Amino acid sequence: MLMKYDYLIVGAGLFGATFAYLARKRGKRCLVIDKRSHAGGNIYCENVEGINVHKYGAHIFHTSDKEVWDFVNSIVPFNRYTNCPVAQAPDGKLHNLPFNMNTFYQMWGVKTPAEAQAKLDEQRRDAVERMKEEGITEPRNLEEQALTLIGCDIYEQLIKGYTEKQWGRKCTELPAFIIRRLPVRMTFDNNYFNDSYQGIPIGGYNRLIDGLLDGVEVKLDTDFFADRARWESIADKIVFTGKIDEFYGYRFGKLEYRTVRFETETLDEPNHQGNAVVNYTAADVPYTRIIEHKHFETFGAAVYDNPHTVISREYSTEWTDGMEPFYPVNDERNQAVYEQYRTLASLESSVIFGGRLAEYKYYDMAPIIAQALNHFK
């Protein structure tokens, strides 16, 4: 006879682990199961040559929610990492991101906010005039939206190729709302995020997950769907963090995703690109970016203490069965399908759905923590 639990938590990712931590603190008995051979979901790290490698892509924690920041730091202290990505354009030149005075100087040679604003206004005006000549009153797609927001130079050099690789579709086929808000700063500020707090757990994300799951019973290499009836019988409630369409047997059809393939390489050099994140915006470069993992946790001259470095090239691709789903495809068809599943989920009294797969929504890490915290308020 299997022991009864208060919660069976399906998925040992960030939402599942945080939920388990909070439930255990309240005296609840939890069992966490995960079909992977490791906990942590997509924030799991592998240690290679003393470097914590983000196995499923770069994860940078950022938030303005002090409660969330204090919570994660109570589990493991975070470092001072600041995300300042660089983009290599099709012409080979490097540009700072997000779009700021450094970017505008690199693109046009302008040195003051007034000069940059004048150049942006000129390019935006040209785009709007061309659309009017064609009888277009509102941007119909991502390309038209981007041109009206940032102009042709930055769009062609830094947006177009990268976006088409990321989504596997032409910008003219992507909806305008994807890029409706573009961050533009009239300051020399390369900090990608506007949040009050950001960083990486000192020692890597595994320390965060290990802290959250400390004292919680965990079974890895365990597939909920392989013996669903058994797992549903051993707990009063289920916390489900997997694909919501799979939970309901795909009765309304499968939801679509984009996914990422990683090509990771250990190099016999201490410093390959000088930055954690370098985007490649040229359409003829097959990968979207290169991540150099040591820069997330090692700074300044200390980078050279380790004679090795690890890089990962990221290739965005269509998702198929058996691949890890990363990004929901938020078009009309998929949203309509998801709404049918969400309606079913809203009727469940013994199942809590949480996380990006269960809610078919792209989440940053901090909102996932906040979501779990809110369940216990």
Side-chain angles (χ1 to χ4, degrees):
M1 176 68 108
L2 287 171
M3 195 171 294
K4 194 81 170 176
Y5 298 89
D6 295 299
Y7 293 106
L8 170 72
I9 300 169
V10 182
L14 190 56
F15 181 83
T18 303
F19 193 100
Y21 175 88
L22 296 169
R24 189 181 72 82
K25 288 291 185 183
R26 287 158 177 78
K28 303 299 183 182
R29 183 169 175 79
C30 302
L31 172 63
V32 178
I33 64 173
D34 199 296
K35 64 182 180 181
R36 294 181 182 177
S37 60
H38 61 76
N42 283 4
I43 67 172
Y44 172 73
C45 295
E46 287 184 340
N47 191 278
V48 180
E49 297 288 353
I51 299 164
N52 288 312
V53 175
H54 296 208
K55 183 174 173 63
Y56 301 97
H59 285 80
I60 301 147
F61 201 96
H62 59 98
T63 185
S64 290
D65 187 329
K66 190 173 187 301
E67 180 187 18
V68 169
W69 183 248
D70 289 345
F71 174 78
V72 294
N73 276 271
S74 73
I75 307 297
V76 56
F78 278 57
N79 69 19
R80 62 171 182 81
Y81 176 78
T82 301
N83 190 30
C84 298
V86 174
Q88 180 171 302
D91 61 8
K93 293 181 180 178
L94 295 176
H95 298 271
N96 291 106
L97 298 175
F99 307 135
N100 68 78
M101 283 301 299
N102 287 303
T103 321
F104 306 142
Y105 172 73
Q106 292 151 357
M107 185 69 64
W108 299 312
V110 295
K111 297 180 180 178
T112 68
E115 291 173 338
Q117 190 65 59
K119 190 69 176 177
L120 284 169
D121 289 344
E122 174 192 336
Q123 296 226 335
R124 290 165 173 160
R125 188 166 52 247
D126 290 346
V128 171
E129 288 300 321
R130 285 196 300 272
M131 288 171 57
K132 284 182 178 178
E133 290 172 4
E134 298 174 21
I136 304 166
T137 57
E138 290 289 334
R140 301 166 299 179
N141 53 56
L142 186 149
E143 177 166 291
E144 291 172 357
Q145 182 70 78
L147 288 171
T148 61
L149 290 173
I150 204 73
C152 64
D153 290 348
I154 288 177
Y155 171 70
E156 291 290 343
Q157 289 294 313
L158 301 180
I159 296 175
K160 186 176 188 293
Y162 186 91
T163 303
E164 291 183 346
K165 288 189 291 187
Q166 186 81 358
W167 290 99
R169 294 161 179 81
K170 297 292 185 184
C171 287
T172 52
E173 299 170 3
L174 291 167
F177 74 80
I178 290 178
I179 204 165
R180 196 149 281 159
R181 293 177 62 189
L182 270 177
V184 175
R185 297 181 185 155
M186 291 300 164
T187 57
F188 290 90
D189 180 6
N190 297 325
N191 181 356
Y192 195 80
F193 301 119
N194 291 316
D195 294 291
S196 302
Y197 313 103
Q198 66 179 295
I200 306 288
I202 295 174
Y205 279 101
N206 293 0
R207 289 192 61 201
L208 174 62
I209 293 297
D210 290 346
L212 291 170
L213 291 176
D214 184 35
V216 176
E217 188 176 350
V218 179
K219 292 184 181 295
L220 302 175
D221 297 304
T222 301
D223 188 348
F224 171 77
F225 294 103
D227 197 357
R228 180 170 179 164
R230 175 195 178 211
W231 295 119
E232 288 180 329
S233 71
I234 67 169
D236 296 327
K237 285 196 173 186
I238 293 173
V239 178
F240 185 77
T241 71
K243 294 188 296 175
I244 192 171
D245 53 350
E246 185 176 17
F247 185 87
Y248 287 111
Y250 305 109
R251 70 178 68 176
F252 303 122
K254 290 187 176 183
L255 294 166
E256 296 175 305
Y257 297 87
R258 293 289 291 174
T259 190
V260 182
R261 178 174 64 84
F262 302 96
E263 186 181 86
T264 300
E265 185 179 359
T266 303
L267 304 176
D268 292 325
E269 57 178 311
N271 189 8
H272 179 68
Q273 63 186 20
N275 204 45
V277 182
V278 178
N279 292 355
Y280 288 80
T281 65
D284 59 356
V285 175
Y287 42 85
T288 54
R289 62 182 184 175
I290 294 179
I291 304 301
E292 187 170 6
H293 300 269
K294 70 165 23 176
H295 293 294
F296 290 126
E297 298 184 62
T298 309
F299 310 109
V303 168
Y304 291 87
D305 292 344
N306 186 336
H308 305 286
T309 194
V310 181
I311 64 169
S312 295
R313 299 177 186 87
E314 297 188 5
Y315 299 80
S316 182
T317 185
E318 292 291 339
W319 174 84
T320 58
D321 286 334
M323 302 175 75
E324 176 62 33
F326 273 72
Y327 308 108
V329 179
N330 296 126
D331 58 16
E332 290 184 10
R333 179 262 168 194
N334 283 288
Q335 283 305 118
V337 171
Y338 168 67
E339 284 302 318
Q340 295 179 82
Y341 289 122
R342 190 180 68 83
T343 299
L344 286 182
S346 69
L347 303 175
E348 300 279 0
S349 60
S350 60
V351 184
I352 296 169
F353 294 88
R356 63 187 177 90
L357 300 181
E359 296 184 63
Y360 198 63
K361 179 180 179 181
Y362 178 77
Y363 274 109
D364 287 325
M365 289 178 285
I368 286 286
I369 298 284
Q371 186 190 46
L373 288 169
N374 287 336
H375 273 284
F376 291 89
K377 288 184 177 177

